[in-house]
Amino acid sequence: MDSSSILLSPQELIFFDPSILQTQSKIQKEFIWPQTERPNSLQDLQAPLIDLQGFFSGHHDSTYTAAKLIDTACRSHGFFQVINHGVDLSLSHQALNFLDDFFSLPLSLKLHASRKPGTMWGYSGAHADRFSSKLPWKETLSFPYHNSTISNSNPVVLDYFTSNFGNDFKQFGLVYQKYCEEMEKLALAIMELLAISLGVERMYFRDFFKNSDSIMRCNYYPPCQEPELVLGTGPHCDPTSLTILQQDHVGGLQVFANDQWKAVPPVPDALVINIGDTFMALSNGKYKSCLHRAVVNRHWARKSLAYFLCPQEDKVVRAPSVIVEGPRKYPDFSWAELREFTQKHYRADMNTLQSFSQWLLSSSSSSLEHS
Ligand SMILES: C=C1C[C@]23C[C@H]1CC[C@H]2[C@]1(C)CCC[C@@](C)(C(=O)O)[C@H]1[C@@H]3C(=O)O
Ligand SMILES: O=C(O)CCC(=O)C(=O)O
Ligand SMILES: [Fe+2]
């Protein structure tokens, strides 16, 4: 099969095989984004780099300083970075480096773990099995995480790797299991800071996310011969609650702040934190779900690890009354409903929560009409 046949007709599966795509001089139309959405040269985002050392040591003043910085950032664009976050740095680096090992596997092996329809879990090449245009220039691997000590089950991430890839991937499973456990610890600590920032009882959100049902997403962005025409990940707000992103040294993350796209240059050993749609609803819109995207480049592959904190899927997402001044901006919903909306009805973008709210209200009013 020559490389020109690699992209079959839209109704047939498109294989995103970087080793072949990069040999083609022109980008296929499925990957080209509209002119208005293409990357452009831009300034760096001046966002706070929040030192969590004082918070973890229980220092009152530095905890409130951190909470104040977080409050300002979240009211504006929903994005900040943290250092001294307590996540073991060698574990972080190992988790990031393992992405090179995984994504350099033969496509046939990666496809063996392809995302199964109706689930979020598995390998995907450019989401070519889900979308037929504006395909993201990336490969992804997604798997579930929940705290197995609470549910008294097996370590879910270790199980994912050994059951989908065999015992040769046990080391992968051990590293990502430990990484997800560290991510959850940090996410729950940040939930305490968000509670302080919003003026609710300090443990309110930590308790809300206690039995989190979270998502780990590995992103691999191959180099692209026409990077100005494509996007690694299109403009979107994460539908989830809180994202902890580790990006490598290459750069490519961009955040929409003060009415323009801003670059987020990688800060060694810092972790990117952004508010998602579900937490924006929990704050009744006080905190902004961060609008962001990822661009690619001509010469280097880029990697990122995104941990998406989600509540137990059937918990009712509803802003606590102490936060709500005036009308409630969103209908009550569950994460299971929003997740299903993004997986079956709507490609997550910058308007997901608004579209979901309208969809939910229209479907509940139509079911009322028929009851
Ligand atoms: C609930 C989710 C859907 C996506 C993965 C998580 C949180 C981020 C979402 C996503 C990355 C937003 C951009 C579009 C998307 C389709 C993607 O590029 O991967 C989204 C994910 C998804 O639906 O798989
Ligand atoms: O890779 C990045 O920098 C961003 C990825 C992202 O936004 C996502 O996976 O939701
Ligand atoms: Fe995102």
Side-chain angles (χ1 to χ4, degrees), residues 236 238 292 308:
H236 69 282
D238 296 334
H292 57 289
F308 299 110

Side-chain angles (χ1 to χ4, degrees), residues 116-361:
K116 293 169 185 54
T119 79
M120 292 191 71
W121 317 132
Y123 169 82
S124 170
H127 292 320
D129 57 331
R130 294 171 62 190
F131 313 124
S132 53
S133 67
K134 300 201 300 186
L135 295 183
W137 192 268
K138 67 178 176 184
E139 299 175 86
T140 62
L141 175 68
S142 308
F143 46 88
Y145 171 76
H146 58 257
N147 188 323
S148 41
T149 51
I150 295 174
S151 56
N152 201 21
S153 56
N154 292 334
V156 64
V157 175
L158 175 57
D159 274 4
Y160 175 82
F161 277 90
T162 51
S163 51
N164 283 281
F165 296 99
N167 261 340
D168 291 353
F169 287 80
K170 185 172 181 183
Q171 190 56 23
F172 275 67
L174 290 167
V175 165
Y176 288 118
Q177 175 70 35
K178 182 72 184 140
Y179 185 78
C180 287
E181 288 167 3
E182 297 277 290
M183 287 294 108
E184 185 186 44
K185 262 192 261 175
L186 174 58
L188 294 178
I190 289 170
M191 280 301 153
E192 271 189 56
L193 281 165
L194 288 169
I196 295 167
S197 305
L198 281 165
V200 305
E201 191 277 321
R202 178 165 175 153
M203 305 307 274
Y204 181 85
F205 293 122
R206 178 186 269 271
D207 291 345
F208 184 85
F209 287 97
K210 202 160 39 189
N211 298 328
S212 81
D213 229 343
S214 296
I215 301 164
M216 189 70 222
R217 164 66 61 92
C218 307
N219 293 307
Y220 190 82
Y221 303 96
C224 177
Q225 53 275 55
E226 293 183 283
E228 67 285 354
L229 300 181
V230 308
L231 284 172
T233 295
H236 69 282
C237 299
D238 296 334
T240 44
S241 293
L242 190 79
T243 304
I244 303 176
L245 183 99
Q246 185 191 177
Q247 59 170 331
D248 68 8
H249 65 285
V250 172
L253 174 61
Q254 299 181 353
V255 165
F256 196 76
N258 309 321
D259 293 326
Q260 51 185 304
W261 285 103
K262 301 274 182 83
V264 179
V267 174
D269 300 334
L271 289 172
V272 164
I273 312 290
N274 66 258
I275 299 292
D277 290 339
T278 302
F279 196 87
M280 178 158 80
L282 280 171
S283 73
N284 198 40
K286 265 188 183 161
Y287 282 4
K288 299 298 172 250
S289 185
C290 175
L291 175 52
H292 57 289
R293 69 185 184 184
V295 299
V296 294
N297 68 82
R298 198 180 307 278
H299 303 294
W300 300 282
R302 177 173 176 265
K303 307 183 290 288
S304 71
L305 281 167
Y307 173 86
F308 299 110
L309 180 72
C310 309
Q312 222 170 333
E313 61 175 23
D314 53 357
K315 282 197 96 136
V316 176
V317 176
R318 178 185 171 85
S321 308
V322 66
I323 287 180
V324 180
E325 298 149 359
R328 285 185 174 281
K329 294 186 173 179
Y330 308 99
D332 293 355
F333 62 91
S334 69
W335 166 237
E337 290 172 313
L338 177 51
R339 182 186 58 209
E340 178 167 328
F341 181 67
T342 69
Q343 300 305 299
K344 294 184 180 167
H345 307 293
Y346 188 91
R347 176 174 178 176
D349 60 12
M350 61 186 79
N351 300 309
T352 309
L353 187 56
Q354 213 52 46
S355 308
F356 170 67
S357 301
Q358 288 156 5
W359 178 80
L360 201 61
L361 292 170

Side-chain angles (χ1 to χ4, degrees), residues 26-78:
K26 300 300 284 175
I27 297 294
Q28 267 117 4
K29 66 182 185 317
E30 288 82 0
F31 294 97
I32 296 177
W33 286 67
Q35 183 88 35
T36 54
E37 296 186 65
R38 290 177 195 168
N40 39 23
S41 57
L42 26 79
Q43 302 162 332
D44 291 356
L45 176 68
Q46 303 307 320
L49 193 54
I50 296 171
D51 188 330
L52 297 184
Q53 187 150 31
F55 164 75
F56 283 119
S57 312
H59 294 159
H60 179 279
D61 293 355
S62 41
T63 295
Y64 281 81
T65 302
K68 185 69 191 120
L69 287 169
I70 288 172
D71 181 66
T72 305
C74 292
R75 286 175 187 271
S76 165
H77 42 60

Side-chain angles (χ1 to χ4, degrees), residues 77-92:
H77 42 60
F79 177 96
F80 55 97
Q81 299 199 67
V82 293
I83 53 170
N84 295 322
H85 41 64
V87 179
D88 181 87
L89 294 180
S90 61
L91 173 68
S92 290

